[in-house]
Amino acid sequence: MGRLTVRRPVLRLNPDGGTRSRPDTLVVEEPLELRVGGKALTVTMRTPGHDVELAHGFLLTEGVIASGLDLAGARYCNSVDEDGRNTYNVLDVDLAEGVAPPDTSVERNFYTTSSCGVCGKASLDAVRLKTRHSPAADPLRIGRELLLSLPGRLREHQKVFGSTGGLHAAALFDADGTLLAAREDVGRHNAVDKVLGRMVMDGRVPAAGTVLMVSGRASFELVQKAVMAGVPALAAVSAPSSLAVELAEESGMTLVGFLRGETGNVYTGRERLDLTA
């Protein structure tokens, strides 16, 4: 359980026109079936490890739970491979008494892939979830120097990416730049769910006064997940989508894209930025 990488032989094409055989390190991608009360809810392709955090974060950002108190427990089911070994690829979560089970109608088809967590949703209305932890009134202030330092701080925690080049990462920082949690995963949405799930398990939701830093782009889904957890600011090293900017603006979130080196684009919530600090 928790195996992150595998080694595979490859044929390397060299600049001089020659070739050579060499081993290459690949990130592991395996399915995780999440069950709630024994009933299958979703299958997501993920990097094994921190699966309980992933479950907490997913259920939070899908509006099923509001805090860790809404969950009674989680356990791996006895799913076995052809050799009879447990794959640890099926996780069953029990909701606390009185917590309503998730809607699993066709409009809430939760099948996800490592590249896109909402491709299975039937309509845009199904993913515009109402948060119980609105970040709109959060008084967070972010200094320019701190903001520009976040991509480098995130990169320091991308250990598996360094050996494979095949993982996304997410990290949550407080207003002083202290790291609260950092996770890697083959799916950008899973990395965020794992970070936010850690906050759920630590009793830190809503995640007030924090900045979520992500590798890659800022999609609608990542903004939604941050809003659902009460995160007031999201920064990404690449571009946001138009829908991501719209949702951030509607929700009162600060959204920064193309945060690289000494530059970045502030799309929404510029009032939280202290550009002199």
Side-chain angles (χ1 to χ4, degrees):
M1 183 175 63
R3 182 181 55 166
L4 300 180
T5 62
V6 295
R7 300 279 279 175
R8 293 285 186 177
V10 298
L11 183 66
R12 175 74 173 180
L13 306 182
N14 297 326
D16 61 5
T19 62
R20 67 185 178 94
S21 296
R22 51 161 285 187
D24 190 35
T25 302
L26 303 177
V27 62
V28 170
E29 181 178 24
E30 293 182 357
L32 175 69
E33 178 182 320
L34 177 60
R35 299 177 183 175
V36 176
K39 185 175 182 179
L41 176 65
T42 184
V43 176
T44 186
M45 302 304 297
R46 97 307 188 192
T47 302
H50 304 290
D51 291 333
V52 176
E53 292 178 353
L54 174 58
H56 279 69
F58 178 85
L59 294 174
L60 171 74
T61 60
E62 292 296 338
V64 179
I65 65 172
S67 73
L69 298 177
D70 291 337
L71 291 179
R75 61 191 175 280
Y76 286 102
C77 299
N78 190 29
S79 59
V80 298
D81 60 18
E82 59 274 11
D83 297 320
R85 295 173 298 189
N86 196 329
T87 64
Y88 296 99
N89 284 341
V90 179
L91 186 68
D92 194 3
V93 174
D94 291 322
L95 299 177
E97 185 176 354
V99 177
D103 176 12
T104 54
S105 67
V106 65
E107 290 80 19
R108 304 285 292 174
N109 179 4
F110 285 129
Y111 178 74
T112 62
T113 70
S114 58
S115 59
C116 175
V118 296
C119 297
K121 296 289 180 80
S123 69
L124 182 59
D125 289 340
V127 295
R128 280 189 177 276
L129 301 174
K130 182 174 177 60
T131 181
R132 286 175 267 187
H133 308 299
S134 173
D138 195 301
L140 171 72
R141 294 282 288 174
I142 311 167
R144 182 191 189 107
E145 183 177 348
L146 172 61
L147 179 65
L148 294 175
S149 74
L150 295 183
R153 297 188 186 197
L154 175 64
R155 186 66 181 84
E156 292 173 1
H157 297 279
Q158 293 182 258
K159 304 302 184 185
V160 182
F161 175 84
S163 61
T164 66
L167 280 180
H168 292 283
L172 195 68
F173 300 89
D174 68 13
D176 295 323
T178 300
L179 177 70
L180 302 177
R183 298 289 182 265
E184 291 182 284
D185 198 278
V186 70
R188 61 171 60 88
H189 59 287
N190 289 335
V192 170
D193 277 342
K194 288 178 178 180
V195 166
L196 299 181
R198 183 68 262 163
M199 294 300 97
V200 174
M201 296 175 72
D202 289 345
R204 299 196 63 167
V205 171
T210 61
V211 183
L212 181 64
M213 181 72 217
V214 299
S215 64
R217 62 188 179 89
S219 65
F220 171 88
E221 183 195 21
L222 298 193
V223 171
Q224 176 190 272
K225 287 180 179 296
V227 169
M228 292 296 288
V231 175
L234 170 63
V237 300
S238 192
S241 68
S242 62
L243 201 58
V245 174
E246 289 177 24
L247 181 60
E249 188 169 48
E250 291 173 7
S251 304
M253 169 184 283
T254 298
L255 178 61
V256 182
F258 293 109
L259 190 60
R260 307 169 185 172
E262 298 299 313
T263 63
N265 292 345
V266 182
Y267 292 89
T268 65
R270 63 184 65 186
E271 67 277 0
R272 287 197 176 96
L273 302 182
D274 181 358
L275 300 182
T276 63

